[in-house]
Amino acid sequence: MLRAQGRAVHQCDSGWVPVFVDQEQKVSLMSVGFLLEKPDEAVVWRGPKKNALIKQFVSDVAWGQLDYLVVDTPPGTSDEHMAAVEALRPYSPLGAIVVTTPQAVSVGDVRRELTFCRKTGLRVIGIVENMSGFVCPHCTECTNVFSRGGGEELARHAGVPFLGSVPLDPKLTRSLEEGRDFIQEFPHSPAFQALSAIAQKVLEAPAQLS
Amino acid sequence: MLRAQGRAVHQCDSGWVPVFVDQEQKVSLMSVGFLLEKPDEAVVWRGPKKNALIKQFVSDVAWGQLDYLVVDTPPGTSDEHMAAVEALRPYSPLGAIVVTTPQAVSVGDVRRELTFCRKTGLRVIGIVENMSGFVCPHCTECTNVFSRGGGEELARHAGVPFLGSVPLDPKLTRSLEEGRDFIQEFPHSPAFQALSAIAQKVLEAPAQLS
């Protein structure tokens, strides 16, 4: 998505140098993908090996001075999540952004993730509802492909902030496929507006007292 | 999805009795969900505990005589997948059905899953492309929400059968949400037609020589 595939991670005195994805070096990345010899290689690792790498990604990467460190995890409440929470605890993380899709099956999974956050003492910054309706580019009618409102209802039920809904937007997925700059090209698209509003709310979330 | 939430698993002489979801007792289920005290409970388990349960789900459930045992895994190539492959090996499984969505990011993940199957000696029955286009119920125009054709191209590239594409269908998701019988109510919907054709191809897949 960030056109960084095939880029190499170098070693410096203070650890691995992350991959910069923009010329201004504002966004740096680290991923297991950069450490594989071939992009098709399967990472057939059991928990302990994954946990060790997640720890290294926090402690052994020369991140420098960061405004935000974003950790994108798979869904669930397993090794990766426990390892990330443990590795980040000394840095008093701001919290978790929990993403759901609108349908009941997905909301059920996310409810368990909220329980996980509570159990591990991780604050929930808020809930985002993704794939929330599809505006047909031919007739501009909106269809709720996966029902609607599950995320907002869950946030209310759990007593955590609702950050917003992101609609399915073919312009966004096409931009990602074709390596085009969605932000520059489609600033008026509904998905862009929704994502900006969510980012703004996250920036305004008060820092956790450590 | 199968309206089995909250059902209990009982113990008999030959092990756990699976949950039957239909009156004819044609479909039986086992899930960690049945073993939790509360549906919101997070299953915060590391690999070894998950692996042990997956093994038990194969060996300690009184499955009886089955035509097919379908194991639905999360995406990826980690503990759950290794545990399932190892637990099923003595039974010479027919193989894996690999599901992707059309966009390049997802196809990349699935390429690594194909490598996993090759490494572990699991045959790939074929690839399914899910969320493959959306037919607007208002104007009947089809939009490729997430681009299109990635699954078919991947199958050709990997030399494995392509089983078919399943479109996004609000009728299907709504039926699942409302507990209605999609098969009975919408036999002419595009998603039903696609799913039937895929099931037919899987039934015709020759059994693996053990």
Side-chain angles (χ1 to χ4, degrees):
Chain A
M1 279 188 192
L2 294 163
R3 313 304 281 174
Q5 212 172 13
R7 297 276 297 276
V9 163
H10 301 285
Q11 197 77 38
C12 73
D13 283 352
S14 42
W16 281 324
V17 182
V19 167
F20 290 94
V21 295
D22 54 341
Q23 294 220 313
E24 299 86 14
Q25 305 211 336
K26 282 185 173 174
V27 179
S28 54
L29 270 187
M30 181 52 80
S31 164
V32 66
F34 298 138
L35 307 176
L36 302 177
E37 287 186 17
K38 289 180 250 161
D40 294 2
E41 207 176 317
V43 184
V44 188
W45 292 2
R46 293 194 180 274
K49 206 169 161 188
K50 290 194 287 193
N51 296 347
L53 188 68
I54 289 168
K55 221 175 137 188
Q56 278 190 290
F57 277 179
V58 175
S59 60
D60 298 357
V61 172
W63 286 114
Q65 192 68 37
L66 293 179
D67 295 320
Y68 290 92
L69 176 72
V70 180
V71 180
D72 180 27
T73 73
T77 55
S78 190
D79 284 285
E80 296 86 346
H81 311 87
M82 281 184 271
V85 167
E86 279 165 23
L88 294 170
R89 188 165 286 141
Y91 304 95
S92 304
L94 192 59
I97 297 169
V98 177
V99 181
T100 185
T101 50
Q103 67 270 44
V105 175
S106 167
V107 168
D109 279 351
V110 169
R111 247 186 351 231
R112 286 185 280 274
E113 287 169 9
L114 294 174
T115 307
F116 171 83
C117 290
R118 204 169 48 239
K119 273 191 185 172
T120 57
L122 186 65
R123 188 174 70 135
V124 176
I125 299 173
I127 292 176
V128 172
E129 185 178 292
N130 196 14
M131 302 197 183
S132 184
F134 174 70
V135 180
C136 177
H138 303 284
C139 71
T140 74
E141 287 278 349
C142 183
T143 307
N144 296 326
V145 185
F146 295 109
S147 97
R148 197 183 166 86
E152 190 158 9
E153 201 182 305
L154 177 63
R156 200 168 35 235
H157 183 78
V160 299
F162 181 64
L163 300 174
S165 304
V166 184
L168 281 167
D169 186 342
K171 287 198 194 77
L172 175 56
T173 48
R174 206 170 343 113
S175 299
L176 293 173
E177 290 280 301
E178 297 169 2
R180 284 156 60 192
D181 190 329
F182 174 72
I183 294 174
Q184 292 294 330
E185 291 189 38
F186 303 109
H188 302 295
S189 82
F192 178 80
Q193 309 270 340
L195 289 166
S196 304
I198 291 167
Q200 197 55 43
K201 281 192 194 165
V202 173
L203 292 174
E204 286 162 6
Q208 189 167 34
L209 299 171
S210 54
Chain B
M1 280 188 192
L2 294 163
R3 313 303 281 176
Q5 214 171 10
R7 297 275 298 276
V9 163
H10 301 285
Q11 198 78 38
C12 73
D13 283 351
S14 43
W16 282 324
V17 182
V19 166
F20 289 94
V21 296
D22 54 341
Q23 294 219 312
E24 298 86 15
Q25 304 212 336
K26 282 186 173 172
V27 178
S28 54
L29 272 186
M30 181 52 80
S31 162
V32 66
F34 298 138
L35 307 176
L36 303 177
E37 287 186 15
K38 289 180 252 162
D40 294 2
E41 207 176 317
V43 184
V44 187
W45 291 2
R46 293 193 179 277
K49 205 168 162 187
K50 289 194 288 192
N51 296 347
L53 188 68
I54 289 168
K55 220 175 137 188
Q56 279 190 289
F57 277 180
V58 174
S59 60
D60 297 357
V61 172
W63 287 115
Q65 191 69 36
L66 294 178
D67 295 320
Y68 290 93
L69 176 72
V70 179
V71 181
D72 180 27
T73 74
T77 54
S78 191
D79 285 286
E80 296 87 345
H81 311 87
M82 282 184 270
V85 167
E86 279 164 23
L88 293 169
R89 187 164 288 141
Y91 305 95
S92 306
L94 192 58
I97 296 171
V98 177
V99 181
T100 186
T101 50
Q103 68 270 43
V105 175
S106 167
V107 167
D109 280 350
V110 170
R111 247 185 353 229
R112 287 185 279 275
E113 287 169 8
L114 294 174
T115 307
F116 171 84
C117 289
R118 204 169 48 238
K119 274 190 186 175
T120 57
L122 186 65
R123 187 174 70 135
V124 176
I125 299 174
I127 292 175
V128 172
E129 185 177 292
N130 196 13
M131 301 196 183
S132 184
F134 174 70
V135 180
C136 178
H138 303 284
C139 72
T140 74
E141 287 278 348
C142 183
T143 307
N144 296 326
V145 185
F146 296 108
S147 96
R148 196 183 166 87
E152 190 158 10
E153 201 183 306
L154 177 62
R156 199 167 36 235
H157 182 79
V160 299
F162 181 63
L163 299 174
S165 304
V166 183
L168 280 166
D169 186 342
K171 287 199 195 75
L172 175 57
T173 48
R174 206 170 344 113
S175 298
L176 293 173
E177 290 280 302
E178 297 169 1
R180 284 156 60 191
D181 190 330
F182 174 73
I183 295 173
Q184 292 295 331
E185 291 190 37
F186 303 109
H188 303 294
S189 82
F192 178 80
Q193 309 270 340
L195 289 165
S196 304
I198 290 167
Q200 198 54 46
K201 282 193 193 167
V202 173
L203 292 175
E204 286 162 6
Q208 189 168 32
L209 300 172
S210 52

